[in-house]
Amino acid sequence: MTDLVRGLQQGEPGAWDEAWATWRVRILGFLLRMCRDRAVAEELCQDIFLVLAQHGPRLRDDTDLGAWLYIVARNRYRSWRRWAWLDARRLVALAQRPANPGPD
C-alpha cells in the first residue's frame, strides 16, 4: 500500500491535498479530451475529487489511485453525457409542442 492510499484511508487532509496536487492536471486533461469543454471538465474534475474525499476511507490497500481516479472520471463523464443527451431531447420535445395548447 502506498503512503498516499494509507493517508486517504485514514482521512488525513494532507493526503487529499497530495492527491489533488498529483492527479488534478492529468484528470482534467483526460476530461478535456473527452468533453472538449473546459467548464464542464473542471466541474467534473472537482466532482471526482469530492468522490475521492468521500470514498477515501473505503479504498482497498492494493488500490492503484491513478487507475481509480481515471475510472471514476470516465464514469462521471459518461453519466454527464447521458444526462446532456436527455436534456437535449427534452428541449427538442418542448420546442415541438404547440405554444398555446387548446383544451383537451
Side-chain angles (χ1 to χ4, degrees), residues 1 5 9-10 13-14 20 26 33 37 40 47-48 53 57-58 61 64 69 76 80-81 84 94 100 102:
M1 169 179 13
V5 170
Q9 288 172 331
Q10 296 172 357
W20 174 260
R26 289 182 251 188
R33 285 189 298 279
D37 183 324
V40 170
D47 183 49
I48 289 155
R58 295 191 302 263
D61 292 347
D64 177 339
L69 287 167
R76 291 294 166 138
W80 171 81
R81 191 74 189 127
L94 285 172
N100 295 317

Side-chain angles (χ1 to χ4, degrees), residues 85-101:
W85 181 77
L86 287 172
D87 285 345
R89 286 188 62 201
R90 288 185 201 134
L91 287 173
V92 169
L94 285 172
Q96 293 173 348
R97 294 173 91 183
N100 295 317

